[in-house]
Amino acid sequence: MIRGFRPVDTVMFPFYLVLLALGIVADVRNAIWFVALGLSVACAILWFVARRQLGVAFSVRPEARQLVTTGFYAKLRHRIYVFGTMAFLLVLLAL
């Protein structure tokens, strides 16, 4: 397992990749499809980076381990939720 990642990550990232693969093989090929998949991939990359920056401070249950104030966390609140939700919603839009 990658250092700093939790078992929930080993479920969510592959699940997103499966949805992305389904979106790519879908028969829809229009402007909305291209934009949705492109933005979804961009959000997924930002989601992965935000999750990596959070490291061991991430917890499924609410518990304060340490305060992260660098990277995306210095500029935007709730990065994992924003980028993860957008990645999933956009790939579902492409389906």
Side-chain angles (χ1 to χ4, degrees), residues 9-64:
D9 299 319
T10 61
V11 173
M12 293 308 294
F13 291 132
F15 181 64
Y16 168 76
L17 293 176
V18 167
L19 287 179
L20 181 63
L22 289 173
I24 290 171
V25 299
D27 290 336
V28 180
R29 297 286 192 270
N30 57 26
I32 293 174
W33 181 84
F34 284 108
V35 170
L37 281 185
L39 288 174
S40 177
V41 169
C43 286
I45 291 169
L46 292 172
W47 174 36
F48 183 81
V49 170
R51 179 61 193 89
R52 181 80 175 149
Q53 287 178 353
L54 190 56
V56 296
F58 177 74
S59 175
V60 176
R61 285 178 263 155
E63 57 185 71

